[in-house]
Amino acid sequence: MNSTELLNWYDLHARELPWRVSPAARVAGQLPDPYRIWLSEIMLQQTTVAAVKAYFLKFTAAWPTVVDLAAAEDADVMAAWAGLGYYARARNLLKCARVIVAEHGGQFPANRAALQNLPGIGPYTSAAIAAIAFDHAETVVDGNVERVMARLFDLHAPLPQAKGALTSYAASLTPPARPGDYAQAVMDLGATICTPKSPRCALCPWHDICAARKAGTAAELPKKLPKVKKPTRFGTAYVARRSDGAVLLEQRPERGLLGGMLGWPGSEWRETPLDAIPPIQADWVEAPGEVRHTFTHFHLRLRVMVAQVDAPQTNQTFTAAENFRPADLPTVMRKIWSMAEAET
DNA sequence: TACGCGTGGCC
DNA sequence: TGGCCAAGCGT
């Protein structure tokens, strides 16, 4: 049984994580709170454990149950998520919590199909919740599992086309006993031993059965299609401040980049710079330097314009100083604020 | 199906 | 500095 070797390794080497029930406690019959597993899995989508930990603790302290979260103000949840990225996750998190309360009596459904109908829960997350929170024998396939399977079976077909084959391999190994621990074990293995670069094969519980290790190809798998080069876009951001500390912020549209988050007014971000139009008339001063930021699919360079605005600006809504926390902004907007602060 | 969607650490 | 990578999902 190949899964047994991995579970034995996991019993000794499982990482302690705020949302995890230890393998010893699980074997004794304890299962984790589905709400905490769901929350952690949403946060962990394309995001490292190191980045998630503090956010997970903040969220569970503020909203200990899904009922609490469902009752939260949208703006409070978006502010708490600020800095973690992929903000559609936060919008879907709230939608999902409210569906759980309105349509499922505040309880997460225990089967994968029902889970996958919920906002923000796709093939990976539905399997992860079913396996980890309910001990269903579902096959969890994330980036770690893809890498481990590609190496275990020495599969050289490139991702993403190879995903189907890798999923079949993973399913063939999923055991009927302790499927939740098994799912977490494969992911822990990928995160700590079977790493993307310099895999530590000597420490691997699957050392003896791994085809890529035998072939000497582990480090070059999985193959991936070459990525397209990121273009650079340019733009201008405006930071207007009143002497009472109020600032001119706006909420971005619900959809698209940084959707639903707070941000500074400014130009669109284009590969060919546009003439920027200030949000209000003022003596704008350009801060020295530029803000640089990289999103998933483009680099961004921003000019930052700063103005002190104390004449009445009747049709603009300023955010009062006591309601303005830079930590509530997405990272690129925090960078703009930092540059504006240094200027004044 | 392919693309849009954040951020921080590492090398 | 810049590319790669991380417990993917929605459209």
Side-chain angles (χ1 to χ4, degrees), chain A residues 106-175:
Chain A
Q107 302 291 322
F108 280 84
N111 70 83
R112 184 182 181 182
L115 286 162
Q116 201 166 320
N117 280 331
L118 294 164
I121 298 183
Y124 163 75
T125 306
S126 62
I129 297 172
I132 298 170
F134 298 108
D135 238 353
H136 289 193
E138 299 289 356
T139 300
V140 174
V141 182
D142 73 331
N144 288 303
V145 178
E146 290 174 355
R147 184 172 59 256
V148 171
M149 293 303 138
R151 290 172 176 173
L152 198 54
F153 294 93
D154 198 32
L155 182 70
H156 288 239
L159 284 167
Q161 289 89 336
K163 174 144 184 151
L166 294 171
T167 298
S168 297
Y169 284 135
S172 74
L173 292 174
T174 300

Side-chain angles (χ1 to χ4, degrees), chain A residues 16 18 22 74 102 112 146 153 179 209 218 230 277 288 291 303 309:
Chain A
E16 289 189 21
S22 72
D74 290 37
R112 184 182 181 182
E146 290 174 355
F153 294 93
I209 63 170
K230 288 178 167 64
I277 301 168
V291 164
R303 301 171 66 198
V309 182

Side-chain angles (χ1 to χ4, degrees), chain A residues 14 36 76 80-81 84 86 116 127 133 135 143 158 178 182 187 209 211 214 220 227 233 244-245 250 253 259 283 300:
Chain A
R36 293 165 64 87
D76 291 339
W81 196 277
L84 195 56
Y86 284 138
Q116 201 166 320
D135 238 353
R178 300 181 65 188
Y182 176 79
M187 292 191 281
I209 63 170
K214 290 178 194 166
E220 63 191 65
K227 309 218 161 137
R233 296 186 191 172
D244 65 359
E250 60 187 24
D283 292 327
L300 179 64

Side-chain angles (χ1 to χ4, degrees), chain A residues 63 69 71-78 94 98:
Chain A
W63 304 292
L69 183 60
E73 295 287 340
D74 290 37
D76 291 339
V77 173
M78 298 310 287
L94 260 175
R98 289 168 182 164

Side-chain angles (χ1 to χ4, degrees), chain A residues 2-16:
Chain A
N2 297 322
S3 62
T4 303
E5 298 158 3
L6 186 62
L7 283 167
N8 289 341
W9 172 83
Y10 183 71
D11 286 339
L12 295 175
H13 300 286
R15 291 182 290 175
E16 289 189 21

Side-chain angles (χ1 to χ4, degrees), chain A residues 15 20 23 25 28 30 50-51 72 86 92 105 132 134 142 162 187 189 213-214 224 233 248 256 269 296 314 339:
Chain A
R15 291 182 290 175
R20 176 172 283 177
Q30 184 180 345
Y86 284 138
N92 285 328
I132 298 170
F134 298 108
D142 73 331
M187 292 191 281
L189 185 74
R213 188 205 56 77
K214 290 178 194 166
K224 295 189 178 179
R233 296 186 191 172
L248 184 58
W269 300 339
T296 309
T314 53
M339 180 163 286

